């Protein structure tokens, strides 16, 4: 059975959000985001409904606090297996731009924390031990940390891809001047980190989201880079890498 057949038939797996946003856990300076807001979006939603988001410097300070000392990859994998799940997908990098593994490609990562371990490697090993397929979520098109990525229009007021709709929903039609910036982000961070994840951890699944933040040709460039690093097409890639809607 190939991986696509496996994924189609498995039906039951776990998707884990795990990152710096796990520290505030939906509460920023005593204020709750609200039950309709996702904890992993706190950098963007912390000051809603009044507007505004957490500035880069303030959010980066969370890295020095991050220390999930009780993290037990074996216990996680055993519970996943015992629940009857067939795969697990975990956030290697969410929209906040922080890599949950040591990234030589772009070192805004777990090494800045007190944890000083690689939770992605530990969970990858544990998943294999318990017969569970392993995968990563990676925010390829949307990155609030990188000055050349779409999405952060509070630290970088002229950047497209955020709620202010600088340049419109399909910003690349009106903001052709920003295409060079987006290409720089994709070429210097997104693609190198994705290929790094493939080399280091040999994942079974890569899960993406928000392709509408980038023009289609850059999403396709990322897909081509994945297949270059995975020439046998072993990795299942979800449709949100490049498909809009």
């Amino acid at each position: 059975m190939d991986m696509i057949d496996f994924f189609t038939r498995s039906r039951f797996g776990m998707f884990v959000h795990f990152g710096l946003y796990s520290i505030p856990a939906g509460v920023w300076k005593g204020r709750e985001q609200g039950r309709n807001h996702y904890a992993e979006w706190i950098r963007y939603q912390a000051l809603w409904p009044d507007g505004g988001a957490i500035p880069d410097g303030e959010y980066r300070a969370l890295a020095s606090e991050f220390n999930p000392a009780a993290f037990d990859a074996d216990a996680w994998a055993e519970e996943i297996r015992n629940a009857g799940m067939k795969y697990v997908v975990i956030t290697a990098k969410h929209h906040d731009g922080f890599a949950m593994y040591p990234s030589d490609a772009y070192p805004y990562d777990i090494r800045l924390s007190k944890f000083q371990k690689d939770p992605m490697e530990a969970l990858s090993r544990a998943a294999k031990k318990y017969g569970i397929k392993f995968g990563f979520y990676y925010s390829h098109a949307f990155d609030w940390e990188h000055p050349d990525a779409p999405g952060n229009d509070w630290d970088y007021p002229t950047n497209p891809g955020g709620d202010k709709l600088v340049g419109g929903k399909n910003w690349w039609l009106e903001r052709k001047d920003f295409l060079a910036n987006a290409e720089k982000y994709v070429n210097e961070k997104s693609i190198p980190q994705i290929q790094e994840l493939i080399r280091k951890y040999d994942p079974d699944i890569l899960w993406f989201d928000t392709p509408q933040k980038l023009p289609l040709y850059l999403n396709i460039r990322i897909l081509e880079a994945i297949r270059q690093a995975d020439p046998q097409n072993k990795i299942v890639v979800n449709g949100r890498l490049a498909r809009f809607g």
Side-chain angles (χ1 to χ4, degrees):
M1 184 187 302
D2 64 24
M3 272 301 300
I4 293 178
D5 285 339
F6 169 85
F7 190 75
T8 302
R9 297 181 187 184
S10 293
R11 297 180 178 269
F12 188 36
M14 179 176 284
F15 194 112
V16 182
H17 285 88
F18 184 38
L20 297 187
Y21 41 81
S22 303
I23 299 172
V27 179
W28 188 254
K29 295 182 179 179
R31 178 173 175 176
E32 292 188 17
Q33 285 178 270
R35 68 180 188 177
N36 293 327
H37 297 159
Y38 303 117
E40 65 272 13
W41 281 72
I42 194 168
R43 184 170 176 203
Y44 176 63
Q45 297 174 331
L47 303 181
W48 283 19
D50 304 326
I54 302 172
D56 191 55
E58 287 188 43
Y59 190 82
R60 281 176 179 265
L62 291 175
S64 63
E65 300 177 34
F66 190 76
N67 188 21
F71 173 73
D72 186 335
D74 247 50
W76 282 28
E78 186 175 17
E79 287 292 329
I80 292 166
R81 192 273 312 273
N82 291 346
M85 298 181 191
K86 304 300 183 184
Y87 64 91
V88 59
V89 174
I90 191 167
T91 46
K93 177 183 83 89
H94 204 264
H95 306 328
D96 63 351
F98 186 82
M100 287 293 292
Y101 70 99
S103 174
D104 294 329
Y106 191 92
Y108 176 52
D109 63 40
I110 195 77
R111 289 172 293 192
L112 298 174
S113 76
K114 295 177 182 177
F115 192 51
Q116 295 301 302
K117 296 178 183 177
D118 185 349
M120 304 295 104
E121 181 183 17
L123 190 57
S124 174
R125 286 199 314 266
K128 289 179 173 64
K129 175 181 174 181
Y130 285 94
I132 302 162
K133 298 299 184 183
F134 179 76
F136 292 116
Y137 171 99
Y138 185 91
S139 179
H140 71 296
F142 198 18
D143 190 306
W144 298 320
E145 175 274 334
H146 199 290
D148 293 307
N152 183 338
D153 54 17
W154 57 93
D155 287 314
Y156 312 107
T158 62
N159 280 21
D163 262 13
K164 296 177 185 176
L165 293 179
V166 177
K169 185 176 180 181
N170 298 327
W171 61 262
W172 48 89
L173 300 178
E174 301 295 330
R175 287 292 311 280
K176 289 183 169 54
D177 61 297
F178 195 79
L179 284 172
N181 300 67
E183 288 179 3
K184 185 173 187 290
Y185 158 69
V186 167
N187 292 334
E188 294 183 3
K189 184 173 184 181
S190 191
I191 285 176
Q193 284 196 327
I194 292 167
Q195 291 186 324
E196 185 178 52
L197 289 168
I198 294 170
R199 288 194 307 271
K200 286 170 68 88
Y201 306 103
D202 190 27
D204 303 299
I205 303 163
L206 288 175
W207 188 279
F208 300 95
D209 203 2
T210 65
Q212 70 274 13
K213 300 295 180 180
L214 285 177
L216 182 60
Y217 80 92
L218 286 180
N219 290 324
I220 296 298
R221 184 179 298 178
I222 292 168
L223 179 58
E224 289 172 345
I226 291 169
R227 293 313 179 199
Q228 182 183 23
D230 174 40
Q232 295 182 339
N233 290 350
K234 295 187 301 180
I235 300 172
V236 172
V237 178
N238 75 320
R240 289 182 181 178
L241 171 60
R243 187 175 63 198
F244 285 57

